[in-house]
Amino acid sequence: MLEVLHSLANLSTPLHHGIVFLFNGAEENVLQASHGFITQHPWAKQVRAFINLEAAGVGGKEVVFQTGPENPWLVQAYVHAAKHPFASVVGQEVFQSGIIPSDTDFRIYRDFGNIPGIDLAFIENGFIYHTKYDTANRILTDSIQRAGDNILAVLKYLVMSERLADSSEYRHGNMVFFDLLGVVVVAYPARVGTILNYMVAMATFLYLAKKASLPGNGGESLFSLWFVTLLSVLIVALLVTLLGRSMFWYNHFYSSICLYGAAATGKMILVHTLAKNLYYGGVRLVELGELYFDVSLLLWCCSLVWLTQQGLCSAYVPMLMVAFPLATKLLLAKEFKHRGTHSIYMYINCKCIALLKKKKKGIF
């Protein structure tokens, strides 16, 4: 905040709007400082928007995990200005659901000041946050640099924006937003997302219904595979909990993907192979690839419909997991027909893209 303040103070271009830098204390004691400012300070009534800096870890990329409420222009400001974007509406909906036992000044400004804003937080190495190992030497300079680049760029954009003069005029609806590989942020209105989700779900169900009507497709084993796969993942989770490693997924995220993903994939292949060998006289890679693809597609499509009906913007996640593999399958239908194992490879590749992240460095 001090470095951003220094940079803004030395700009040659005059700012269209003022900026208040608020260094809060008493945060861990029911957010008293932010509440005192927004309810008692004479400057509070002049504030039109805010950027709240938080931490649930000691470094990494600072993620945009709350915006608004219902001020899509703030999301658009971040989309246009942030140099190293990292944002997801999933974080917003998970946090606001109350599942995570935490709170931020965002709630104070929103509820007591009726002010829209953006909530940013470091989340990496959260298992040492607020412990005796949470020391200054563990804070990565790259993380501070990245946050400074983003916050300075977004602030410059906002203080020059005409929308900041009366932000209430632009308060309408929620936004679906997420970054792609930390390079660009995709953002669109929630109502557009609802239409898109139902279109993808309808196309998927039509595809599966048409395929299930074909003779000898093995579709009767879809639900059994679904059940056994879910059961295997729950068993792994139970074992991890009994071993006293229930937070294993938090400090070893990619290892947990391998652990649960390998269990699910292995169980699906095993059950399908046994079923085909026992009841259908042998299994072919073409059939195995097709069935794996269909089961995965059905799982994600059911999640897509349910989340959309709940009015959650997070439905974009299963939408992507359905739309890209299905589009790939339909575009390369002839190739899949002759070389069915590509169904597995292409589907896995489409999902793995979302897991790729890049680390960037810079200087003020």
Side-chain angles (χ1 to χ4, degrees), residues 12 26 32 38 65 69 72 80 82 116 125 134-135 140 161 171 185 192 198 202 227 239 257 285 291 299 342:
S12 57
Q32 289 184 351
I38 209 63
F65 69 101
H80 286 96
N125 294 332
D134 193 359
T135 55
L140 301 177
S161 174
R171 185 168 184 167
V185 176
V192 174
Y198 281 126
M202 185 180 298
F227 174 76
L239 292 175
I257 291 178
L285 288 178
L291 190 56
L299 276 169
H342 282 189

Side-chain angles (χ1 to χ4, degrees), residues 11 23 30 35 108-109 155 198 203 205 216 222 253 255 357:
L11 285 178
F23 295 82
V30 203
H35 181 271
I108 301 297
Y109 302 137
L155 271 177
Y198 281 126
F205 284 127
L222 283 177
F253 178 70
S255 298
K357 298 295 180 182

